[in-house]
Amino acid sequence: MPLTRRHFIILAASVASTTVLSNESRADAPVLSESDPTAQALGYKTDATKVDKTKFSHYQSGQTCANCQLYQGKPGSANGPCPTYGGKLVDAKGWCNAYVKKT
Ligand code: SF4
């Protein structure tokens, strides 16, 4: 599913807020909840296999936060910050519709 204008605006706002927060420590960042409004809009799941594939046809098997270009967690970590959600911690096995394959 292509990003809608609304999703783009949410993403732009998230990236802008992340820029402001970029110099702050992320060690105590809050964990992103699936019930977070932005997470719901982008179909975030802590377990990528639970993604609603009908609603988010962009998802492909094998895609997880750990192999997303936006993921800022250390390799092998259980979770890590994501700029899409203002630096909140996302699950390494998670996924959302803002996924960008790491190159
Ligand atoms: Fe995970 Fe990437 Fe979505 Fe962030 S943008 S929640 S790292 S899939």
Coordinates of all heavy atoms in Angstrom, one line a residue:
M1 N 0.9 -1.2 0.0 CA 0.0 0.0 0.0 C 0.9 1.2 0.0 O 1.8 1.4 0.8 CB -0.9 0.0 1.2 CG -1.8 1.2 1.3 SD -3.0 1.1 2.6 CE -2.1 1.8 4.0
P2 N 0.7 2.1 -0.9 CA 1.6 3.3 -1.0 C 1.2 4.2 0.2 O 0.2 4.2 0.8 CB 1.2 4.0 -2.3 CG -0.2 3.5 -2.6 CD -0.2 2.1 -2.0
L3 N 2.2 5.0 0.6 CA 2.0 6.0 1.7 C 1.0 7.0 1.3 O 1.0 7.5 0.2 CB 3.3 6.7 2.1 CG 4.3 5.8 2.8 CD1 5.6 6.6 3.1 CD2 3.8 5.3 4.1
T4 N 0.0 7.3 2.2 CA -0.9 8.3 1.9 C -0.4 9.7 2.3 O 0.6 9.7 3.0 CB -2.2 8.1 2.7 OG1 -1.9 8.2 4.1 CG2 -2.8 6.7 2.4
R5 N -1.0 10.7 1.9 CA -0.6 12.1 2.2 C -0.5 12.2 3.8 O 0.4 12.8 4.3 CB -1.5 13.1 1.6 CG -1.1 14.5 1.9 CD -1.9 15.5 1.0 NE -1.4 16.8 1.2 CZ -2.1 17.7 1.8 NH1 -3.2 17.5 2.3 NH2 -1.6 18.9 2.0
R6 N -1.5 11.6 4.4 CA -1.6 11.7 5.9 C -0.4 11.0 6.5 O 0.2 11.5 7.4 CB -2.9 11.1 6.4 CG -3.1 11.1 7.9 CD -4.5 10.7 8.3 NE -4.7 10.7 9.7 CZ -4.6 9.6 10.5 NH1 -4.5 8.5 9.9 NH2 -4.7 9.7 11.8
H7 N -0.1 9.8 6.0 CA 1.1 9.1 6.5 C 2.4 9.9 6.3 O 3.2 10.0 7.2 CB 1.2 7.8 5.9 CG 0.1 6.8 6.3 ND1 -0.2 5.7 5.6 CD2 -0.7 6.8 7.4 CE1 -1.2 5.1 6.2 NE2 -1.5 5.7 7.3
F8 N 2.5 10.6 5.1 CA 3.6 11.3 4.8 C 3.8 12.5 5.8 O 4.9 12.7 6.3 CB 3.6 11.9 3.4 CG 4.8 12.8 3.1 CD1 6.0 12.2 2.7 CD2 4.6 14.2 3.2 CE1 7.1 13.0 2.5 CE2 5.7 15.0 2.9 CZ 6.9 14.4 2.6
I9 N 2.7 13.1 6.2 CA 2.7 14.2 7.1 C 3.1 13.7 8.5 O 4.0 14.4 9.2 CB 1.3 15.0 7.2 CG1 1.1 15.7 5.8 CG2 1.3 15.9 8.4 CD1 -0.3 16.2 5.7
I10 N 2.6 12.6 8.9 CA 3.0 12.0 10.2 C 4.5 11.7 10.2 O 5.2 12.0 11.1 CB 2.2 10.7 10.4 CG1 0.7 11.1 10.7 CG2 2.8 9.9 11.6 CD1 -0.2 9.9 10.7
L11 N 5.0 11.1 9.1 CA 6.4 10.8 9.0 C 7.3 12.0 9.0 O 8.3 12.1 9.7 CB 6.7 10.0 7.7 CG 6.3 8.5 7.7 CD1 6.4 7.9 6.3 CD2 7.1 7.8 8.7
A12 N 6.9 13.0 8.3 CA 7.6 14.3 8.3 C 7.7 14.9 9.7 O 8.8 15.3 10.1 CB 7.0 15.3 7.3
A13 N 6.6 14.9 10.4 CA 6.6 15.4 11.8 C 7.5 14.6 12.7 O 8.2 15.1 13.5 CB 5.2 15.4 12.3
S14 N 7.5 13.3 12.5 CA 8.3 12.4 13.3 C 9.8 12.6 13.1 O 10.6 12.7 14.0 CB 8.0 10.9 13.0 OG 6.6 10.6 13.3
V15 N 10.1 12.8 11.8 CA 11.5 13.0 11.5 C 12.0 14.3 12.0 O 13.1 14.5 12.6 CB 11.8 12.9 10.0 CG1 13.2 13.4 9.6 CG2 11.5 11.5 9.5
A16 N 11.1 15.3 11.9 CA 11.5 16.7 12.4 C 11.7 16.6 14.0 O 12.6 17.2 14.5 CB 10.4 17.7 12.1
S17 N 10.8 15.9 14.7 CA 10.9 15.8 16.1 C 12.2 15.0 16.5 O 12.8 15.3 17.5 CB 9.7 15.2 16.8 OG 9.5 13.9 16.4
T18 N 12.5 14.0 15.7 CA 13.7 13.2 15.9 C 15.0 14.1 15.8 O 15.9 14.0 16.6 CB 13.8 12.1 14.9 OG1 12.6 11.3 15.2 CG2 15.0 11.2 15.2
T19 N 15.0 15.0 14.8 CA 16.1 15.9 14.6 C 16.3 16.7 15.9 O 17.5 16.9 16.3 CB 15.9 16.8 13.4 OG1 15.6 15.9 12.3 CG2 17.0 17.7 13.1
V20 N 15.3 17.2 16.4 CA 15.4 18.0 17.6 C 15.9 17.2 18.8 O 16.7 17.6 19.6 CB 14.0 18.6 18.0 CG1 14.0 19.3 19.4 CG2 13.5 19.6 17.0
L21 N 15.5 15.9 18.9 CA 15.9 15.0 20.0 C 17.2 14.3 19.8 O 17.7 13.6 20.6 CB 14.8 14.0 20.2 CG 13.5 14.5 20.6 CD1 12.4 13.4 20.6 CD2 13.5 15.2 22.0
S22 N 17.8 14.5 18.6 CA 19.0 13.7 18.2 C 20.2 13.8 19.2 O 20.9 12.8 19.2 CB 19.4 14.1 16.8 OG 19.9 15.4 16.8
N23 N 20.3 14.8 19.9 CA 21.4 14.9 20.9 C 21.1 14.4 22.3 O 21.9 14.4 23.1 CB 21.9 16.4 21.0 CG 22.5 16.8 19.7 OD1 23.1 16.0 19.0 ND2 22.4 18.1 19.4
E24 N 19.9 13.9 22.5 CA 19.5 13.4 23.8 C 19.8 11.9 23.9 O 19.8 11.2 22.9 CB 18.0 13.7 24.0 CG 17.7 15.1 24.1 CD 16.2 15.4 24.4 OE1 15.5 14.5 24.8 OE2 15.8 16.6 24.3
S25 N 20.0 11.4 25.1 CA 20.2 10.0 25.3 C 19.0 9.2 24.9 O 17.8 9.6 25.3 CB 20.6 9.7 26.7 OG 20.6 8.4 27.0
R26 N 19.1 8.0 24.3 CA 18.0 7.2 24.0 C 17.9 5.9 24.9 O 17.1 5.1 24.7 CB 18.1 6.7 22.5 CG 18.1 7.9 21.5 CD 16.7 8.6 21.6 NE 16.7 9.8 20.8 CZ 16.6 9.8 19.4 NH1 16.5 8.7 18.8 NH2 16.6 10.9 18.8
A27 N 18.9 5.8 25.8 CA 18.9 4.6 26.6 C 17.6 4.4 27.4 O 17.2 3.3 27.6 CB 20.1 4.7 27.6
D28 N 17.0 5.5 27.8 CA 15.8 5.3 28.5 C 14.5 5.7 27.7 O 13.5 6.1 28.3 CB 15.8 6.2 29.8 CG 16.1 7.7 29.5 OD1 16.4 8.0 28.3 OD2 15.9 8.5 30.4
A29 N 14.6 5.6 26.4 CA 13.5 5.9 25.5 C 12.3 5.0 25.8 O 12.6 3.8 26.1 CB 13.9 5.8 24.1
P30 N 11.1 5.5 25.7 CA 10.0 4.6 25.9 C 9.8 3.6 24.8 O 10.2 3.8 23.7 CB 8.8 5.6 26.0 CG 9.3 6.8 25.2 CD 10.8 6.9 25.4
V31 N 9.2 2.5 25.2 CA 8.9 1.5 24.2 C 7.6 1.8 23.4 O 6.6 2.3 24.0 CB 8.7 0.1 24.9 CG1 8.3 -1.0 23.9 CG2 10.0 -0.3 25.6
L32 N 7.7 1.7 22.1 CA 6.5 2.0 21.3 C 5.4 1.0 21.5 O 5.7 -0.2 21.4 CB 6.9 2.1 19.8 CG 5.7 2.3 18.8 CD1 5.2 3.8 19.0 CD2 6.2 2.1 17.4
S33 N 4.2 1.4 21.7 CA 3.1 0.5 21.9 C 2.3 0.4 20.5 O 2.2 1.4 19.8 CB 2.1 1.1 22.9 OG 0.9 0.4 22.9
E34 N 1.8 -0.8 20.3 CA 1.0 -0.9 19.1 C -0.2 0.0 19.1 O -0.8 0.2 18.0 CB 0.6 -2.4 18.9 CG 1.7 -3.3 18.6 CD 1.3 -4.8 18.4 OE1 0.1 -5.1 18.5 OE2 2.1 -5.6 18.1
S35 N -0.7 0.4 20.3 CA -1.9 1.2 20.4 C -1.6 2.7 20.2 O -2.5 3.5 20.2 CB -2.5 1.0 21.8 OG -1.7 1.4 22.8
D36 N -0.3 3.1 20.1 CA 0.1 4.4 19.8 C -0.6 4.9 18.5 O -0.6 4.1 17.5 CB 1.6 4.5 19.6 CG 2.1 5.9 19.2 OD1 2.0 6.2 18.0 OD2 2.7 6.6 20.1
P37 N -1.2 6.1 18.4 CA -2.0 6.5 17.2 C -1.1 6.4 15.9 O -1.6 6.0 14.9 CB -2.4 7.9 17.5 CG -2.4 8.0 19.0 CD -1.3 7.1 19.5
T38 N 0.1 6.8 16.0 CA 1.0 6.8 14.8 C 1.3 5.4 14.4 O 1.3 5.0 13.2 CB 2.3 7.6 15.0 OG1 1.9 8.9 15.4 CG2 3.1 7.7 13.7
A39 N 1.5 4.5 15.4 CA 1.8 3.1 15.2 C 0.6 2.4 14.6 O 0.8 1.6 13.6 CB 2.2 2.4 16.5
Q40 N -0.6 2.8 15.0 CA -1.8 2.2 14.4 C -2.0 2.6 13.0 O -2.3 1.8 12.1 CB -3.0 2.6 15.3 CG -3.1 1.8 16.6 CD -4.5 2.0 17.3 OE1 -5.1 3.1 17.2 NE2 -4.9 1.0 17.9
A41 N -1.7 3.9 12.7 CA -1.8 4.4 11.4 C -0.9 3.7 10.4 O -1.2 3.5 9.2 CB -1.6 5.9 11.3
L42 N 0.3 3.4 10.9 CA 1.3 2.7 10.0 C 1.3 1.2 10.2 O 2.2 0.6 9.7 CB 2.6 3.3 10.3 CG 2.8 4.8 9.9 CD1 4.1 5.4 10.3 CD2 2.6 5.0 8.4
G43 N 0.4 0.7 11.0 CA 0.3 -0.8 11.1 C 1.4 -1.4 11.8 O 1.7 -2.6 11.6
Y44 N 2.0 -0.7 12.8 CA 3.1 -1.3 13.5 C 2.7 -2.5 14.3 O 1.7 -2.5 15.0 CB 3.8 -0.2 14.4 CG 4.8 -0.8 15.4 CD1 6.1 -1.2 14.9 CD2 4.5 -1.0 16.7 CE1 7.0 -1.7 15.8 CE2 5.5 -1.5 17.6 CZ 6.7 -1.9 17.1 OH 7.7 -2.4 18.0
K45 N 3.5 -3.6 14.2 CA 3.3 -4.8 15.0 C 4.7 -5.1 15.6 O 5.7 -5.0 15.0 CB 2.8 -6.0 14.2 CG 1.4 -5.8 13.6 CD 0.4 -5.8 14.7 CE -1.0 -5.7 14.2 NZ -2.0 -5.5 15.2
T46 N 4.7 -5.6 16.9 CA 5.9 -6.0 17.5 C 6.4 -7.3 16.9 O 7.6 -7.6 17.0 CB 5.8 -6.2 19.0 OG1 4.7 -7.1 19.3 CG2 5.4 -4.8 19.7
D47 N 5.5 -8.0 16.3 CA 5.9 -9.3 15.6 C 5.4 -9.1 14.1 O 4.2 -9.1 13.8 CB 5.1 -10.4 16.3 CG 5.4 -11.8 15.6 OD1 6.0 -11.8 14.5 OD2 4.9 -12.8 16.2
A48 N 6.4 -9.0 13.3 CA 6.1 -8.8 11.8 C 5.2 -9.8 11.2 O 4.5 -9.5 10.3 CB 7.4 -8.7 11.1
T49 N 5.2 -11.0 11.7 CA 4.4 -12.1 11.2 C 2.9 -11.8 11.4 O 2.0 -12.4 10.8 CB 4.8 -13.5 11.7 OG1 4.5 -13.5 13.1 CG2 6.2 -13.8 11.4
K50 N 2.6 -10.8 12.3 CA 1.2 -10.5 12.7 C 0.7 -9.3 11.9 O -0.4 -8.9 12.1 CB 1.1 -10.2 14.2 CG 1.6 -11.3 15.1 CD 0.6 -12.4 15.2 CE 0.8 -13.4 16.3 NZ 2.0 -14.0 16.6
V51 N 1.5 -8.8 11.0 CA 1.0 -7.7 10.1 C -0.2 -8.1 9.3 O -0.3 -9.2 8.8 CB 2.2 -7.2 9.2 CG1 1.7 -6.2 8.2 CG2 3.3 -6.7 10.0
D52 N -1.2 -7.1 9.3 CA -2.4 -7.3 8.5 C -2.0 -7.2 7.0 O -1.9 -6.1 6.5 CB -3.4 -6.3 8.9 CG -4.7 -6.4 8.1 OD1 -4.8 -7.1 7.1 OD2 -5.7 -5.8 8.6
K53 N -1.8 -8.3 6.4 CA -1.2 -8.3 5.0 C -2.3 -7.8 4.0 O -1.9 -7.4 2.9 CB -0.7 -9.7 4.6 CG 0.4 -10.1 5.5 CD 0.7 -11.6 5.4 CE 1.7 -12.1 6.4 NZ 1.2 -12.1 7.8
T54 N -3.5 -7.8 4.4 CA -4.6 -7.3 3.5 C -4.5 -5.8 3.5 O -4.6 -5.2 2.4 CB -6.0 -7.8 4.0 OG1 -6.0 -9.2 4.1 CG2 -7.1 -7.3 3.0
K55 N -4.4 -5.2 4.7 CA -4.4 -3.8 4.8 C -3.0 -3.2 4.4 O -2.9 -2.1 3.9 CB -4.7 -3.4 6.2 CG -5.1 -2.0 6.5 CD -5.6 -1.8 7.9 CE -6.0 -0.4 8.2 NZ -6.4 -0.2 9.6
F56 N -1.9 -3.9 4.7 CA -0.6 -3.5 4.4 C 0.1 -4.4 3.4 O 1.0 -5.2 3.8 CB 0.2 -3.3 5.7 CG -0.4 -2.3 6.7 CD1 -1.2 -2.7 7.7 CD2 -0.3 -0.9 6.4 CE1 -1.8 -1.8 8.6 CE2 -0.9 0.0 7.3 CZ -1.7 -0.4 8.3
S57 N -0.3 -4.3 2.2 CA 0.2 -5.2 1.2 C 1.7 -4.9 0.8 O 2.4 -5.7 0.1 CB -0.6 -5.2 -0.1 OG -0.7 -3.8 -0.6
H58 N 2.2 -3.8 1.3 CA 3.6 -3.4 1.2 C 4.5 -4.4 1.9 O 5.6 -4.6 1.5 CB 3.8 -2.0 1.7 CG 5.2 -1.5 1.8 ND1 5.9 -1.2 0.7 CD2 5.9 -1.1 2.8 CE1 7.1 -0.8 1.0 NE2 7.1 -0.7 2.3
Y59 N 4.0 -5.1 2.9 CA 4.8 -6.0 3.7 C 5.1 -7.2 2.9 O 4.3 -7.8 2.2 CB 4.0 -6.4 5.0 CG 4.6 -7.6 5.7 CD1 5.7 -7.3 6.5 CD2 4.2 -8.9 5.6 CE1 6.4 -8.4 7.2 CE2 4.8 -9.9 6.2 CZ 5.9 -9.7 7.0 OH 6.5 -10.7 7.7
Q60 N 6.4 -7.6 3.1 CA 6.9 -8.9 2.5 C 7.5 -9.7 3.6 O 8.2 -9.2 4.4 CB 7.9 -8.6 1.4 CG 7.3 -7.9 0.2 CD 8.3 -7.7 -1.0 OE1 9.4 -8.0 -0.8 NE2 7.8 -7.1 -2.0
S61 N 7.3 -11.0 3.5 CA 7.9 -11.9 4.5 C 9.4 -11.7 4.6 O 10.1 -11.6 3.6 CB 7.6 -13.4 4.0 OG 8.1 -14.3 5.0
G62 N 9.8 -11.7 5.8 CA 11.3 -11.5 6.1 C 11.6 -10.1 6.5 O 12.7 -9.8 7.0
Q63 N 10.7 -9.2 6.2 CA 11.0 -7.8 6.6 C 10.8 -7.6 8.1 O 9.7 -8.0 8.6 CB 10.1 -6.8 5.8 CG 10.3 -6.8 4.3 CD 9.3 -5.9 3.6 OE1 8.3 -5.5 4.1 NE2 9.7 -5.5 2.3
T64 N 11.7 -7.0 8.7 CA 11.6 -6.7 10.2 C 12.3 -5.4 10.4 O 13.1 -4.9 9.6 CB 12.2 -7.8 11.1 OG1 13.6 -7.8 10.8 CG2 11.6 -9.2 10.8
C65 N 12.0 -4.8 11.6 CA 12.7 -3.6 12.0 C 14.2 -3.7 11.9 O 14.9 -2.8 11.5 CB 12.3 -3.2 13.4 SG 10.5 -2.7 13.5
A66 N 14.7 -4.9 12.3 CA 16.1 -5.1 12.4 C 16.8 -5.0 11.0 O 18.0 -4.7 10.9 CB 16.4 -6.5 12.9
N67 N 16.0 -5.2 9.9 CA 16.6 -5.0 8.6 C 16.0 -3.8 7.8 O 16.0 -3.8 6.6 CB 16.6 -6.3 7.7 CG 15.2 -6.9 7.5 OD1 14.3 -6.1 7.2 ND2 15.1 -8.2 7.6
C68 N 15.5 -2.9 8.6 CA 14.9 -1.6 8.1 C 16.0 -0.5 8.2 O 16.7 -0.4 9.2 CB 13.7 -1.2 8.8 SG 13.0 0.4 8.4
Q69 N 16.1 0.3 7.2 CA 17.1 1.3 7.1 C 16.9 2.3 8.3 O 17.9 3.0 8.7 CB 17.0 2.0 5.8 CG 18.2 2.9 5.5 CD 18.5 3.1 4.0 OE1 18.0 2.4 3.2 NE2 19.3 4.0 3.7
L70 N 15.7 2.5 8.7 CA 15.4 3.5 9.8 C 15.7 3.0 11.2 O 15.8 3.8 12.1 CB 14.0 3.9 9.7 CG 13.6 4.6 8.4 CD1 12.1 4.8 8.3 CD2 14.3 5.9 8.2
Y71 N 15.9 1.7 11.4 CA 16.2 1.1 12.7 C 17.5 1.6 13.2 O 18.5 1.5 12.5 CB 16.1 -0.4 12.6 CG 16.3 -1.2 13.8 CD1 15.3 -1.1 14.8 CD2 17.4 -2.0 14.1 CE1 15.4 -1.8 16.0 CE2 17.5 -2.7 15.3 CZ 16.5 -2.6 16.2 OH 16.6 -3.3 17.4
Q72 N 17.6 2.0 14.5 CA 18.8 2.5 15.1 C 19.3 1.6 16.2 O 20.2 2.0 16.9 CB 18.6 3.9 15.6 CG 18.2 4.9 14.4 CD 18.0 6.3 14.9 OE1 17.6 6.5 16.0 NE2 18.0 7.3 14.0
G73 N 18.7 0.4 16.3 CA 19.2 -0.5 17.4 C 20.5 -1.1 16.9 O 20.9 -1.2 15.8
K74 N 21.3 -1.6 17.9 CA 22.5 -2.3 17.6 C 22.2 -3.7 17.1 O 21.2 -4.3 17.4 CB 23.4 -2.4 18.9 CG 23.9 -1.1 19.4 CD 24.6 -1.2 20.7 CE 25.1 0.1 21.2 NZ 25.5 0.2 22.6
P75 N 23.1 -4.2 16.2 CA 22.9 -5.6 15.7 C 22.7 -6.6 16.8 O 23.5 -6.6 17.8 CB 24.2 -5.8 14.9 CG 24.7 -4.5 14.5 CD 24.3 -3.6 15.7
G76 N 21.7 -7.4 16.7 CA 21.5 -8.4 17.7 C 20.6 -7.9 18.9 O 20.3 -8.7 19.8
S77 N 20.4 -6.6 19.0 CA 19.6 -6.1 20.1 C 18.1 -6.5 20.0 O 17.6 -6.7 18.8 CB 19.7 -4.6 20.3 OG 19.3 -4.0 19.1
A78 N 17.4 -6.6 21.1 CA 16.0 -7.0 21.0 C 15.1 -5.8 20.5 O 14.0 -6.0 20.0 CB 15.5 -7.4 22.4
N79 N 15.6 -4.6 20.7 CA 14.8 -3.4 20.3 C 15.8 -2.3 20.0 O 17.0 -2.4 20.4 CB 13.7 -3.1 21.2 CG 14.2 -2.7 22.6 OD1 15.3 -2.3 22.8 ND2 13.3 -2.9 23.6
G80 N 15.3 -1.2 19.4 CA 16.1 -0.1 19.2 C 15.3 1.1 18.8 O 14.1 1.0 18.4
P81 N 15.8 2.3 18.9 CA 15.1 3.5 18.5 C 14.7 3.6 17.0 O 15.4 3.1 16.2 CB 16.0 4.7 18.9 CG 17.1 4.1 19.7 CD 17.2 2.6 19.3
C82 N 13.6 4.2 16.8 CA 13.1 4.4 15.4 C 12.7 5.9 15.2 O 11.8 6.3 16.0 CB 11.9 3.5 15.1 SG 11.3 3.8 13.4
P83 N 13.3 6.6 14.3 CA 13.0 8.0 14.1 C 11.5 8.2 13.6 O 11.0 9.3 13.8 CB 14.0 8.4 13.0 CG 14.4 7.2 12.3 CD 14.3 6.1 13.4
T84 N 10.9 7.2 13.0 CA 9.5 7.4 12.6 C 8.6 7.7 13.8 O 7.6 8.3 13.7 CB 9.0 6.1 11.9 OG1 9.9 5.8 10.8 CG2 7.6 6.2 11.4
Y85 N 9.0 7.2 15.0 CA 8.2 7.3 16.2 C 9.0 8.2 17.2 O 8.9 7.9 18.4 CB 7.8 6.0 16.7 CG 7.1 5.1 15.7 CD1 7.7 4.2 15.0 CD2 5.7 5.4 15.5 CE1 7.0 3.4 14.0 CE2 5.1 4.7 14.5 CZ 5.7 3.7 13.8 OH 5.0 3.0 12.8
G86 N 9.7 9.2 16.7 CA 10.4 10.1 17.6 C 11.4 9.5 18.5 O 11.7 10.0 19.6
G87 N 12.0 8.3 18.1 CA 13.0 7.7 18.8 C 12.6 6.7 19.8 O 13.4 6.1 20.6
K88 N 11.3 6.4 19.9 CA 10.8 5.3 20.8 C 11.3 4.0 20.3 O 11.7 3.8 19.2 CB 9.2 5.3 20.7 CG 8.6 6.4 21.5 CD 7.1 6.3 21.5 CE 6.4 7.4 22.2 NZ 4.9 7.4 22.2
L89 N 11.4 3.1 21.3 CA 12.0 1.8 21.0 C 11.0 0.9 20.3 O 9.9 0.7 20.7 CB 12.5 1.1 22.3 CG 13.5 1.9 23.1 CD1 13.8 1.1 24.4 CD2 14.8 2.1 22.3
V90 N 11.4 0.3 19.2 CA 10.6 -0.6 18.4 C 11.3 -2.0 18.5 O 12.5 -2.1 18.7 CB 10.4 -0.2 16.9 CG1 9.7 1.1 16.9 CG2 11.8 -0.1 16.2
D91 N 10.5 -3.0 18.4 CA 11.0 -4.4 18.5 C 11.8 -4.8 17.2 O 11.3 -4.5 16.1 CB 9.8 -5.3 18.7 CG 10.2 -6.7 19.2 OD1 11.0 -7.4 18.6 OD2 9.8 -7.0 20.4
A92 N 12.9 -5.4 17.4 CA 13.7 -5.8 16.3 C 13.0 -6.7 15.3 O 13.2 -6.8 14.1 CB 15.0 -6.5 16.8
K93 N 12.0 -7.5 15.9 CA 11.2 -8.4 15.1 C 9.9 -7.7 14.6 O 9.0 -8.4 14.0 CB 10.8 -9.6 15.9 CG 12.0 -10.5 16.3 CD 11.6 -11.6 17.3 CE 12.8 -12.3 17.8 NZ 12.5 -13.2 18.9
G94 N 9.8 -6.4 14.8 CA 8.5 -5.7 14.4 C 8.6 -5.3 13.0 O 9.5 -5.6 12.2
W95 N 7.5 -4.5 12.7 CA 7.4 -4.0 11.3 C 6.3 -2.9 11.3 O 5.4 -2.9 12.1 CB 7.0 -5.1 10.3 CG 6.9 -4.7 8.9 CD1 8.0 -4.8 8.0 CD2 5.8 -4.1 8.1 NE1 7.6 -4.3 6.7 CE2 6.3 -3.9 6.8 CE3 4.5 -3.7 8.5 CZ2 5.4 -3.3 5.8 CZ3 3.7 -3.2 7.5 CH2 4.2 -3.0 6.2
C96 N 6.5 -1.9 10.4 CA 5.5 -0.9 10.1 C 5.5 -0.6 8.6 O 6.5 -0.9 7.9 CB 5.5 0.3 11.0 SG 6.6 1.6 10.5
N97 N 4.5 0.2 8.2 CA 4.4 0.5 6.8 C 5.4 1.5 6.3 O 5.5 1.8 5.1 CB 3.0 1.0 6.5 CG 2.6 0.9 5.0 OD1 2.9 -0.1 4.4 ND2 1.9 1.8 4.5
A98 N 6.2 2.1 7.2 CA 7.3 3.0 6.8 C 8.6 2.3 6.5 O 9.6 2.9 6.3 CB 7.5 4.1 7.9
Y99 N 8.5 0.9 6.5 CA 9.7 0.1 6.3 C 10.4 0.5 5.0 O 9.8 0.7 4.0 CB 9.3 -1.4 6.2 CG 10.4 -2.3 5.9 CD1 11.2 -2.9 6.9 CD2 10.8 -2.6 4.6 CE1 12.2 -3.7 6.6 CE2 11.8 -3.5 4.3 CZ 12.5 -4.0 5.3 OH 13.6 -4.9 5.0
V100 N 11.8 0.6 5.2 CA 12.7 0.8 4.0 C 13.8 -0.2 4.1 O 14.5 -0.3 5.1 CB 13.3 2.2 4.1 CG1 14.2 2.4 2.9 CG2 12.2 3.3 4.1
K101 N 13.9 -1.0 3.1 CA 15.0 -2.1 3.1 C 16.3 -1.5 3.3 O 16.7 -0.5 2.6 CB 14.9 -2.9 1.8 CG 15.9 -4.0 1.9 CD 15.7 -4.9 0.6 CE 16.7 -6.0 0.7 NZ 16.5 -7.0 -0.3
K102 N 17.1 -2.0 4.3 CA 18.4 -1.6 4.6 C 19.3 -2.0 3.4 O 19.2 -3.2 2.9 CB 19.0 -2.3 5.8 CG 20.2 -1.7 6.3 CD 20.7 -2.4 7.6 CE 19.9 -1.9 8.8 NZ 20.3 -2.5 10.1
T103 N 20.1 -1.1 2.9 CA 21.0 -1.4 1.7 C 22.4 -1.6 2.1 O 22.8 -1.1 3.2 CB 20.9 -0.4 0.6 OG1 21.2 0.9 1.2 CG2 19.5 -0.4 0.0
Ligands
SF4_1 FE1 10.5 -0.8 12.2 FE2 11.4 0.6 10.1 FE3 8.8 0.8 10.8 FE4 10.8 1.9 12.3 S1 10.2 2.5 10.2 S2 9.0 0.7 13.1 S3 12.4 0.4 12.1 S4 9.8 -1.0 10.1

